[in-house]
């Protein structure tokens, strides 16, 4: 009796953790698109999210330190600027461009295009020698690239400007996740825990994005009636609350991903990410008015098959290796997340 009961408990726990992850992952995608309909300041929104996530990371580190009695890692300034800064810059550009693209494109096109990040992650992993050359990788590349081509071929809601933004974000995302893996695998830095990594990344990400914000949105934000020129206090409070919700969703996404990996496995998160893409597109078609024809759906299926093959190959070739579960997830981040550290 014990074995079936334990199996049922593990299954229920896994389902619960996956649903917990879906709430934040799918939620933040739709939140971004919803907010961008009336609030046309994606870079300012990202800056607010960075501040919120840094605050939550600081509080979480403090709670962990009180619970364990062990001090959390804090990098020296020289190491911090030389080792963390490149990852922070790549991350902030990836997220900034991803959020910016929601002004122009649909959720379905964003989700599909962002999935191409796997191609760039593979490329930079080979460059940095984090990935071993494999003939099956050619098939993965062909499936994802052809799927993306089919999806955009006859799309009635295609926007070139937004598409280029997401594609560029995916390219930078390849650099981002490769640098992130290098950063987290350096044991001497002590950043294996994602909470510590988020804590160290956010300030440099803020500094990296702030000049771009000033150049593109600074004047507009300072004169908008949604923030600094409000006629009623209730409007200001509404804007602040809606912006804060995104920051909490972003932090919750990173936390739920790490929780799912630590309680189950990287394979569970990778498979959950694939099904999440399907859920995102179905919800976008049903509730956001996204239009997809037969060729688009076929392209999506082809792309997902490429991502699934990549996940399977990573799982097969990682058996017996010493990489932690979370490191394996970094190679299958073809998801459409906007998250501040994990996305």
């Amino acid at each position: 009796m014990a074995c079936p009961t334990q199996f049922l408990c593990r299954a229920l726990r896994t389902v619960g953790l996956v649903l917990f992850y879906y709430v934040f992952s799918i939620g933040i995608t739709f939140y971004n698109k919803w907010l961008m309909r009336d609030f046309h300041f994606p870079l300012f929104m990202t800056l607010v999210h960075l501040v919120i996530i840094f605050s939550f990371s600081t509080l979480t580190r403090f709670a962990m330190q009180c619970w364990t009695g062990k001090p959390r890692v804090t990098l020296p300034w020289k190491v911090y600027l030389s080792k963390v800064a490149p990852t922070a810059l790549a991350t902030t550009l990836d997220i900034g461009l991803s959020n910016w693209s929601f002004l122009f494109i649909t959720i379905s096109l964003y989700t599909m295009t962002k999935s191409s990040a796997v191609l760039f992650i593979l490329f930079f992993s080979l460059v940095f020698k984090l990935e071993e050359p494999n003939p099956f990788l050619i098939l993965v590349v062909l499936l994802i690239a052809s799927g993306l081509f089919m999806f955009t071929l006859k799309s009635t809601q295609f926007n070139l400007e937004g598409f280029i933004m997401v594609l560029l974000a995916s390219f930078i995302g390849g650099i981002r996740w490769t640098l992130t893996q290098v950063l987290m695998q350096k044991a001497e830095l002590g950043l294996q825990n994602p909470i510590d990594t988020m804590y160290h990344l956010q300030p440099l990400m803020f500094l990296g994005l702030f000049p771009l914000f000033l150049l593109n949105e600074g004047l507009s934000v300072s004169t908008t009636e949604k923030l600094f020129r409000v006629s009623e206090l209730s409007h200001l409070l509404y804007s602040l609350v809606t912006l804060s919700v995104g920051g909490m969703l972003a932090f919750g996404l990173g936390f739920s991903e790490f929780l799912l990996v630590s309680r189950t496995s990287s394979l569970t998160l990778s498979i959950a990410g694939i099904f999440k893409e399907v859920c995102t597109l179905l919800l976008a078609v049903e509730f956001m008015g996204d239009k997809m024809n037969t060729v688009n759906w076929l392209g999506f299926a082809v792309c997902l098959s490429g991502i699934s093959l990549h996940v399977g190959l990573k799982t097969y070739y990682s058996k017996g290796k010493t990489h932690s579960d979370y490191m394996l997830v970094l190679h299958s981040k073809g998801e459409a997340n906007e998250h501040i550290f994990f996305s």
Side-chain angles (χ1 to χ4, degrees), residues 3 21 25 48 50 84 98 113 115 121 140 159 172 186 220 241 254 265 301-302 308 321 342-343:
C3 290
Y21 158 65
S25 184
V48 173
L50 293 175
V84 180
S98 297
T113 309
S115 297
I121 293 172
V140 171
N159 181 283
I172 297 173
K186 289 185 177 180
S220 300
V241 169
S265 69
V302 170
S308 301
K321 295 187 178 181
F342 300 96
S343 83

Side-chain angles (χ1 to χ4, degrees), residues 163-175:
F163 176 74
I164 292 175
M165 281 186 176
V166 183
L167 204 59
L168 183 58
S170 298
F171 174 80
I172 297 173
I175 304 175

Side-chain angles (χ1 to χ4, degrees), residues 251-291:
F251 180 82
L253 174 58
F255 180 76
S256 65
E257 281 189 334
F258 179 64
L259 190 64
L260 181 57
V261 171
S262 61
R263 298 292 182 179
T264 58
S265 69
S266 62
L267 179 60
T268 302
L269 177 56
S270 298
I271 294 174
I274 294 172
F275 282 102
K276 187 215 72 176
E277 308 285 29
V278 178
C279 294
T280 301
L281 259 66
L282 291 175
L283 290 172
V285 171
E286 182 68 26
F287 297 106
M288 302 297 288
D290 289 17
K291 298 177 181 178

Side-chain angles (χ1 to χ4, degrees), residues 134 136-137 140 267 270-271 274 304-319 331-332:
N134 188 302
F136 286 106
L137 294 181
V140 171
L267 179 60
S270 298
I271 294 174
I274 294 172
L304 280 189
S305 65
I307 295 173
S308 301
L309 176 60
H310 177 58
V311 170
L313 291 173
K314 285 302 299 179
T315 304
Y316 178 78
Y317 286 107
S318 297
K319 288 180 179 179
H331 283 279
S332 52

Side-chain angles (χ1 to χ4, degrees), residues 67-261:
W67 180 262
T68 61
K70 299 178 181 179
R72 307 304 303 176
V73 61
T74 302
L75 296 179
W77 278 105
K78 184 177 180 181
V79 177
Y80 180 55
L81 293 176
S82 61
K83 304 295 184 182
V84 180
T87 306
L89 180 61
T91 304
T92 196
L93 288 175
D94 178 12
I95 294 168
L97 287 169
S98 297
N99 289 343
W100 203 344
S101 70
F102 276 113
L103 289 175
F104 308 100
I105 63 174
T106 62
I107 289 178
S108 56
L109 181 58
Y110 171 85
T111 301
M112 187 66 186
T113 309
K114 199 68 169 140
S115 297
S116 65
V118 174
L119 302 179
F120 301 113
I121 293 172
L122 283 174
F123 172 75
F124 287 108
S125 295
L126 290 171
V127 171
F128 284 86
K129 297 183 178 179
L130 299 173
E131 183 93 17
E132 297 179 1
N134 188 302
F136 286 106
L137 294 181
I138 299 175
L139 181 58
V140 171
V141 171
L142 289 175
L143 286 172
I144 296 176
S146 58
L148 180 61
F149 175 75
M150 290 171 65
F151 189 87
T152 58
L153 182 61
K154 293 185 178 181
S155 177
T156 57
Q157 297 172 305
F158 181 79
N159 181 283
L160 182 60
E161 187 174 1
F163 176 74
I164 292 175
M165 281 186 176
V166 183
L167 204 59
L168 183 58
S170 298
F171 174 80
I172 297 173
I175 304 175
R176 165 197 178 186
W177 285 110
T178 305
L179 292 176
T180 298
Q181 180 175 358
V182 173
L183 188 68
M184 294 183 72
Q185 282 184 338
K186 289 185 177 180
E188 65 272 15
L189 296 180
L191 297 181
Q192 286 79 13
N193 191 308
I195 298 296
D196 293 323
T197 311
M198 282 195 287
Y199 171 81
H200 284 85
L201 280 175
Q202 307 313 303
L204 289 177
M205 289 172 63
F206 186 96
L207 293 176
L209 189 62
F210 192 73
L212 190 60
F213 156 72
L214 287 179
L215 182 64
N216 289 277
E217 298 177 3
L219 182 61
S220 300
V221 168
S222 63
T223 57
T224 180
E225 295 182 355
K226 293 182 179 295
L227 289 171
F228 299 107
R229 293 184 60 192
V230 292
S231 56
E232 297 182 18
L233 181 61
S234 59
H235 294 164
L236 175 62
L237 292 176
Y238 176 78
S239 297
L240 293 177
V241 169
T242 53
L243 288 171
S244 300
V245 168
M248 290 185 284
L249 283 172
F251 180 82
L253 174 58
F255 180 76
S256 65
E257 281 189 334
F258 179 64
L259 190 64
L260 181 57
V261 171

